[in-house]
Amino acid sequence: MNVLLPFGIACLAFVIRLPFLAHGPAGWDDVDFALGVDNYDLSLMQPHFPGYPVYMLVAIGFARLIANPFLALSLLSALANACTVFPLYSIVKRCSRQRTAVWVAVLWAVNPLGMVLGTQPLSDSFGNLLAVWLVAASLVVVDPGLAEKKRALVLVFSGILLGLLYGVRISYLPLGAVFAWALYVYGRDTRRYGDVVSAIVSSLLVNLLWLYGLVLNVGSLTGFWRLAAAFTEGHFSDWGGAYTGSHAGERLLYWIGRHWFAAGLGAPWNEQNSWFSYLILILVCAGITGGGIAAGKTRWLQTGNKEHIVLLFLWIVPYLLWAFFAQNVEKPRHILPLMIPLIWGIVWGLQQWRRFSPILLTALAASTAAVGVIQVREQPVTDSPMAQLAHYVAQADRGESSIIYTYEEERVIRYLYPSVTTVRLRKWSDFQASILAYSVLPDHVYLTDRVLDGFHNEQLKEYVKEAARFRGSEWLYPTYHDIVLYEVRQDKRQEWIRLIKTGQ
Amino acid sequence: MSYVRKFMSSLFALLLAVFTLVPHAAFAYSYGNPNEEAVAENYKQVVAKLNQTPADYAGASKTFESIKQELDMHMGPEPSQAITQALLAQDKQAAISAYQKTLVLNVARRLESAEKEFANYQQSKLLLAKALATYDALSPVIKGKDAALDQKVRESFDLTLQALGNPGLFGVGVKEPDQQALITHKDEILQSLQTFFNMPELKVGHFTPGQGPGNEVGNDTPTITDNLKNWLPLVLIVLVILFIVVRTMQKRRT
């Protein structure tokens, strides 16, 4: 395999991310990770359950080199994104041609979702690297042309990779199907079931390894279970949320339009409306048309390599269903493991346009890179909306007393300004108890829009005024890119308290 | 082709089973808090009832009744008697003040227990968390009158937590425990609270270490931060994996 070519593309991916790395807190999760590299403590939610032990171990290493934990973790993400080029190149080349592999790798290097997550202090990019690596390894295992010893070794390696992957992101659970298929094909071809058992045992042991590490950190097995139970009990979706459509069809359209097309590929959505985005939309449609016609003519199971086709199918479909049904529909990052197959499909579709394909693909790469840069350009220079909110509230807290009712925003405010009184609300009675606990209310009573909207009570809004509004890129901060801070009006405080006393 | 179809259909059956059997909420993105303290929660509810206009004494008494027995068991009957009497007399200020003093006693109880359970990392940490959860309920009162004191107490809480040490992650980031620091900062906290709430002493009734409302007794084995025994399973697992890899690499019959 020509190593220089993927290496060059990996360098491109790394270099294009470098100027845009995040420097500060933006949300609940990255604060968890930043606290965790300093003082890993599962019971204090540093980070939250299930602890991301394998990721955190690597992250702690990076944080030893760079003092700012957010920058260190973002650098790790960028590096993981760049390294993803190697397994992805190997996968595409093995199933298709080198030229296709180069195009998929280039488009991955400049992919908007990859650019966003490759510059943020989150675990997704590192998890995706292991996931793609697992697929590449499993693809080697199912190749009957290779020596049996090599296949056996790679099978065990796949098992270890799967264990590590779960230690990074347990939510990549369905990708285990890829490993299951590798086990099945290897066992069927060689009848060496000892190797199959070895691979399964290795995988289980790696999982056990990081689980044991977590138990040691918590202090005991019972304590660990208690945390697990608390994590599954309290859930986050009980409040607010920008997405309100409940119909499955509506949800599907939102998911495809906003996440797959707009966040994933750079197509138009809301304020993302430069002509680059429209060009992308046209080119993607051209790819789908070209690919659709060609796919109809291809007799996949007769001409293609069945083992490869099933493996790719198992890479995509189980996780696709999982991402749609079981993951937070508001966060585009959950579709990251599927970006490479998606890009691959589009490249393949555009290649059906024969002699036009180099032009089309070049145009797609260029406009994708442009949208990618547009999406992340404010990240190194502007504070995230949550951080802006924290600065504002801290300013108001100086000299005068204040209290702020929040939802997820609390984590960032407390991280930046521990002295500000924040209350994270989950239900009405908490709110009531908290307000009524004061014989005299603080000088300023703030509520974020998530809290106020979460009550679904129009009456409450009559007593508040908008104090400030904090905005950021919808793509960098998918759930909290537009935060409105309300303050209870000074002239209506008594009525407000009366309303709260009477209950809801 | 049949094997492909068989494999796929069984996989889908499995996926379907997972989706239908496991309740959806279990997957929801969530961060629960295991460190809540029942007394502190009860206090907030009681105060909310009392601060209504007119004050809901019946409701407050009823709410308080639900925790009274446990309080008596762990702190002796005096604290709850004071609260009950004030509620009966319909004296809102006295009831709230008595309950606040009970919370201070609870902080003391939790902190003393944490010190006694020092060798048991997980248990002492839980006790500290419950002490802090109790303080969180008192915090608005203190902050309203003396914001600097609130700041100071919170810093002391942070330091008590640090004094417990941290077992780290696979030996990375290990922090040694420091019992003397725990005692020092615990005393700081208790001193501050005792002075603020004007209490003659904090040793009322009897404390039962490691037990209390909302805190089941764990028969946890003590964990000492850098215990060689802890490394044994880790080393064993790594050795088995290495053994498997080496065995697979070995030359084999064809």
Side-chain angles (χ1 to χ4, degrees):
Chain A
M1 185 168 95
N2 183 358
V3 189
L4 269 179
L5 210 51
F7 183 74
I9 301 170
C11 286
L12 167 76
F14 185 64
V15 167
I16 199 174
R17 282 161 177 74
L18 217 46
F20 303 110
L21 299 182
H23 290 72
W28 188 292
D29 298 88
D30 53 56
V31 170
D32 274 14
F33 293 138
L35 288 169
V37 295
D38 179 45
N39 185 25
Y40 187 94
D41 193 330
L42 191 59
S43 61
L44 292 181
M45 291 207 264
Q46 303 184 174
H48 59 270
F49 196 85
Y52 307 78
V54 175
Y55 171 68
M56 289 306 292
L57 213 52
V58 180
I60 290 169
F62 271 72
R64 294 255 163 107
L65 305 173
I66 298 168
N68 179 341
F70 299 98
L71 191 62
L73 296 181
S74 303
L75 186 72
L76 168 59
S77 292
L79 210 59
N81 266 192
C83 292
T84 307
V85 168
F86 299 104
L88 106 81
Y89 189 85
S90 150
I91 293 167
V92 182
K93 201 179 160 201
R94 204 172 279 275
C95 297
S96 178
R97 288 175 304 164
Q98 186 178 8
R99 187 178 299 174
T100 314
V102 170
W103 276 117
V104 176
V106 167
L107 279 166
W108 162 253
V110 297
N111 177 261
L113 189 62
M115 296 262 292
V116 167
L117 291 169
T119 52
Q120 292 191 330
L122 295 168
S123 63
D124 300 77
S125 294
F126 189 67
N128 186 48
L129 168 66
L130 295 188
V132 179
W133 207 357
L134 171 72
V135 175
S138 299
L139 214 50
V140 171
V141 176
V142 299
D143 191 340
L146 292 172
E148 189 192 293
K149 198 166 103 180
K150 186 181 179 190
R151 292 175 74 185
L153 198 61
V154 178
L155 185 69
V156 171
F157 177 65
S158 303
I160 294 172
L161 263 178
L162 185 73
L164 291 174
L165 175 67
Y166 287 166
V168 174
R169 284 199 68 83
I170 200 83
S171 72
Y172 286 1
L173 192 77
L175 294 171
V178 171
F179 178 57
W181 176 246
L183 286 173
Y184 171 79
V185 173
Y186 179 86
R188 186 199 64 195
D189 288 357
T190 65
R191 307 217 166 267
R192 280 184 180 277
Y193 298 112
D195 291 337
V196 173
V197 172
S198 293
I200 295 173
V201 169
S202 316
S203 190
L204 291 177
L205 283 178
V206 174
N207 281 300
L208 197 65
L209 198 67
W210 61 255
L211 264 171
Y212 182 73
L214 289 180
V215 170
L216 278 190
N217 180 262
V218 176
S220 74
L221 194 59
T222 42
F224 182 75
W225 281 122
R226 229 168 39 81
L227 285 179
F231 174 76
T232 35
E233 201 178 284
H235 60 102
F236 236 33
S237 43
D238 58 356
W239 199 289
Y243 178 75
T244 46
S246 53
H247 193 261
E250 232 174 282
R251 190 178 135 110
L252 185 67
L253 283 179
Y254 177 84
W255 193 58
I256 292 174
R258 186 179 178 216
H259 297 348
W260 289 94
F261 273 78
L265 298 168
W269 183 271
N270 280 352
E271 284 166 33
Q272 177 164 284
N273 51 14
S274 67
W275 61 267
F276 293 117
S277 289
Y278 285 97
L279 186 60
I280 290 172
L281 185 64
I282 294 165
L283 289 166
V284 168
C285 288
I288 292 171
T289 323
I293 295 167
K297 286 184 196 155
T298 313
R299 308 180 74 183
W300 296 101
L301 289 173
Q302 276 77 36
T303 55
N305 178 326
K306 288 176 200 88
E307 276 72 29
H308 286 179
I309 292 170
V310 175
L311 192 134
L312 298 179
F313 180 85
L314 291 175
W315 179 13
I316 301 164
V317 178
Y319 188 82
L320 187 79
L321 294 173
W322 171 269
F324 181 66
F325 288 108
Q327 295 286 352
N328 189 336
V329 78
E330 279 184 48
K331 293 183 178 167
R333 61 190 176 86
H334 292 303
I335 66 166
L336 186 69
L338 300 174
M339 279 325 291
I340 288 164
L342 177 69
I343 294 169
W344 188 359
I346 290 165
V347 168
W348 185 78
L350 285 174
Q351 281 178 334
Q352 307 308 316
W353 295 87
R354 304 293 166 205
R355 60 197 175 90
F356 295 110
S357 69
I359 303 171
L360 296 177
L361 284 164
T362 311
L364 183 61
S367 44
T368 303
V371 174
V373 170
I374 292 171
Q375 284 196 2
V376 296
R377 67 182 163 184
E378 71 173 58
Q379 188 159 247
V381 287
T382 319
D383 284 330
S384 68
M386 278 208 201
Q388 294 172 34
L389 167 74
H391 299 324
Y392 180 91
V393 182
Q395 201 66 42
D397 197 48
R398 236 165 256 164
E400 290 177 303
S401 64
S402 67
I403 182 167
I404 170 165
Y405 294 95
T406 66
Y407 193 45
E408 271 182 74
E409 306 91 322
E410 177 186 66
R411 191 71 164 167
V412 173
I413 300 174
R414 281 208 175 163
Y415 178 80
L416 291 172
Y417 303 101
S419 62
V420 174
T421 309
T422 52
V423 179
R424 184 160 72 98
L425 284 185
R426 310 192 66 144
K427 48 185 192 288
W428 173 258
S429 60
D430 290 350
F431 183 54
Q432 209 173 15
S434 168
I435 289 276
L436 297 180
Y438 287 92
S439 42
V440 181
L441 272 186
D443 301 333
H444 302 279
V445 178
Y446 295 112
L447 302 97
T448 64
D449 54 337
R450 289 299 172 109
V451 169
L452 199 59
D453 295 340
F455 287 134
H456 300 291
N457 183 343
E458 287 306 311
Q459 235 188 318
L460 280 174
K461 295 187 180 168
E462 289 165 22
Y463 304 100
V464 298
K465 64 173 171 49
E466 188 181 311
R469 189 164 186 168
F470 312 98
R471 286 178 224 251
S473 158
E474 177 176 5
W475 312 106
L476 289 173
Y477 319 108
T479 44
Y480 286 85
H481 55 89
D482 186 3
I483 302 172
V484 186
L485 182 69
Y486 294 99
E487 184 182 353
V488 178
R489 286 168 54 176
Q490 298 294 342
D491 55 327
K492 300 261 178 138
R493 284 161 75 100
Q494 290 316 311
E495 285 120 299
W496 157 266
I497 296 168
R498 209 169 302 133
L499 177 72
I500 289 163
K501 277 177 182 170
T502 56
Q504 193 186 39
Chain B
M1 266 336 287
S2 67
Y3 65 85
V4 175
R5 216 167 294 149
K6 250 184 246 164
F7 182 83
M8 300 287 231
S9 43
S10 47
L11 190 97
F12 271 110
L14 187 75
L15 270 177
L16 205 69
V18 168
F19 278 123
T20 40
L21 289 179
V22 183
H24 227 75
F27 292 128
Y29 209 47
S30 53
Y31 317 100
N33 180 10
N35 299 327
E36 276 188 357
E37 174 71 310
V39 193
E41 295 309 308
N42 187 273
Y43 163 79
K44 290 180 203 163
Q45 299 295 333
V46 168
V47 172
K49 290 261 180 335
L50 292 178
N51 275 342
Q52 285 178 17
T53 30
D56 178 7
Y57 288 100
S61 296
K62 205 174 156 223
T63 307
F64 181 66
E65 276 305 311
S66 64
I67 202 152
K68 186 173 167 292
Q69 216 177 359
E70 278 183 277
L71 271 183
D72 289 351
M73 205 158 78
H74 301 293
M75 305 174 82
E78 299 92 343
S80 73
Q81 262 167 20
I83 299 169
T84 315
Q85 271 164 16
L87 286 175
L88 274 175
Q90 306 222 329
D91 185 343
K92 178 174 133 182
Q93 286 317 321
I96 292 178
S97 158
Y99 209 152
Q100 283 168 352
K101 286 183 176 155
T102 307
L103 286 189
V104 174
L105 290 177
N106 192 58
V107 173
R109 179 174 75 99
R110 292 306 200 190
L111 287 178
E112 300 291 353
S113 308
E115 188 198 323
K116 283 203 192 83
E117 295 277 318
F118 185 73
N120 186 341
Y121 172 72
Q122 199 238 320
Q123 190 64 18
S124 52
K125 192 140 166 217
L126 180 66
L127 290 165
L128 274 192
K130 288 188 179 289
L132 181 61
T134 313
Y135 179 73
D136 278 336
L138 287 172
S139 172
V141 187
I142 298 174
K143 210 177 169 187
K145 285 188 190 144
D146 187 351
L149 182 70
D150 177 66
Q151 203 62 33
K152 194 185 136 207
V153 172
R154 287 194 176 277
E155 271 160 29
S156 301
F157 265 111
D158 279 348
L159 291 169
T160 53
L161 195 60
Q162 280 173 32
L164 290 186
N166 184 336
L169 182 63
F170 298 111
V172 179
V174 174
K175 294 191 176 82
E176 290 301 326
D178 180 352
Q179 189 158 15
Q180 200 47 53
L182 177 76
I183 295 170
T184 313
H185 300 299
K186 178 207 77 178
D187 288 343
E188 278 168 19
I189 296 169
L190 296 183
Q191 197 68 56
S192 303
L193 293 181
Q194 192 179 351
T195 316
F196 184 89
F197 287 99
N198 201 12
M199 294 163 76
E201 58 164 3
L202 292 182
K203 304 241 178 261
V204 176
H206 51 279
F207 299 141
T208 316
Q211 289 181 322
N215 175 24
E216 66 288 355
V217 201
N219 47 354
D220 304 320
T221 46
T223 317
I224 297 151
T225 307
D226 214 4
N227 197 334
L228 261 174
K229 224 168 57 191
N230 287 337
W231 284 94
L232 208 64
L234 288 175
V235 173
L236 215 67
I237 292 172
V238 172
L239 281 179
V240 174
I241 295 174
L242 277 178
F243 172 76
I244 289 174
V245 171
V246 170
R247 211 193 64 115
T248 318
M249 274 164 73
Q250 268 166 3
K251 220 173 150 112
R252 48 179 72 196
R253 57 185 169 76
T254 41

